[in-house]
Amino acid sequence: MENLYKEILNYEPFCESEVKDRECMLEALRLGKDLLSRYMLMHFTASAFVVNPDRDKMLCVFHNIYQGLIYPGGHADGEEDLLSVAVREVTEETGVKPKVLGDEIFGITVNPVSGHVKRGEYVSGHTHLDVIYLMECSEDVALKYNPSESSDVCWLPFSKADG
């Protein structure tokens, strides 16, 4: 996880929340736990902010657990190359193969996850240490959602997005 530590250390936060989230991620990595697997208290996830070529819409999935539109992403499940995790998750969750717009980190966020039932088992509340990458995809491609995780996939105009 040395490479991941360096990537996060070298990431330039664009706002105060990212400064604090970067500190949290670096401290978590110093703990020496396997945060690339699903360590019960916290673990790394990778997501993608996928935009259309006109840069006025983002690709979103309606997540069954969160009951809202979010950008595609998922668990690292042992893989340190979080960019490849993000690409895989976009394809699994939306059916599209995105174009990566640079291999550097686009954003970071630390997100609490409430306890929930997944595949018939209770999952305790924990924290996702999410690393986000920038990608692009044409709006002309066929979208499909993964019913085990979401119930829709769509292009959301930035003008309709919250915050």
Side-chain angles (χ1 to χ4, degrees):
M1 291 197 296
E2 188 176 316
N3 288 337
L4 180 56
Y5 184 89
K6 287 178 185 174
E7 282 183 66
I8 293 169
L9 180 65
N10 293 327
Y11 173 70
E12 284 292 326
F14 78 95
C15 63
E16 186 178 352
S17 66
E18 282 201 335
V19 169
K20 297 296 184 183
D21 287 351
R22 183 178 72 170
E23 289 174 17
C24 182
M25 288 180 173
L26 293 171
E27 180 62 25
L29 284 164
R30 286 190 284 267
L31 293 175
K33 299 289 184 186
D34 181 8
L35 302 178
L36 294 173
S37 295
R38 296 188 194 203
Y39 175 59
M40 66 184 295
L41 298 179
M42 71 183 89
H43 43 262
F44 276 94
T45 56
S47 297
F49 192 75
V50 183
V51 296
N52 64 340
D54 291 337
R55 307 288 196 275
D56 61 355
K57 295 178 187 169
M58 62 187 276
L59 188 59
C60 293
V61 296
F62 189 88
H63 199 279
N64 292 337
I65 292 173
Y66 302 130
Q67 286 296 294
L69 289 173
I70 63 171
Y71 42 79
H75 294 93
D77 286 335
E79 188 172 343
E80 186 174 359
D81 182 355
L82 294 183
L83 175 56
S84 90
V85 171
V87 170
R88 179 185 73 229
E89 291 293 331
V90 169
T91 303
E92 285 178 6
E93 294 183 8
T94 69
V96 303
K97 294 190 188 297
K99 174 185 173 185
V100 175
L101 299 178
D103 60 358
E104 63 278 347
I105 295 172
F106 179 69
I108 58 174
T109 186
V110 174
N111 296 312
V113 178
S114 298
H116 58 276
V117 175
K118 186 169 184 176
R119 296 184 186 104
E121 277 190 44
Y122 183 77
V123 178
S124 293
H126 56 279
T127 301
H128 282 172
L129 308 170
D130 197 34
V131 177
I132 307 160
Y133 296 90
L134 183 61
M135 300 180 196
E136 179 184 271
C137 180
S138 168
E139 290 179 74
D140 297 336
V141 298
L143 301 175
K144 64 178 183 181
Y145 64 88
N146 180 344
S148 69
E149 296 184 18
S150 61
S151 55
D152 196 12
V153 59
C154 63
W155 286 101
L156 180 67
F158 289 141
S159 62
K160 304 265 190 224
D162 290 338

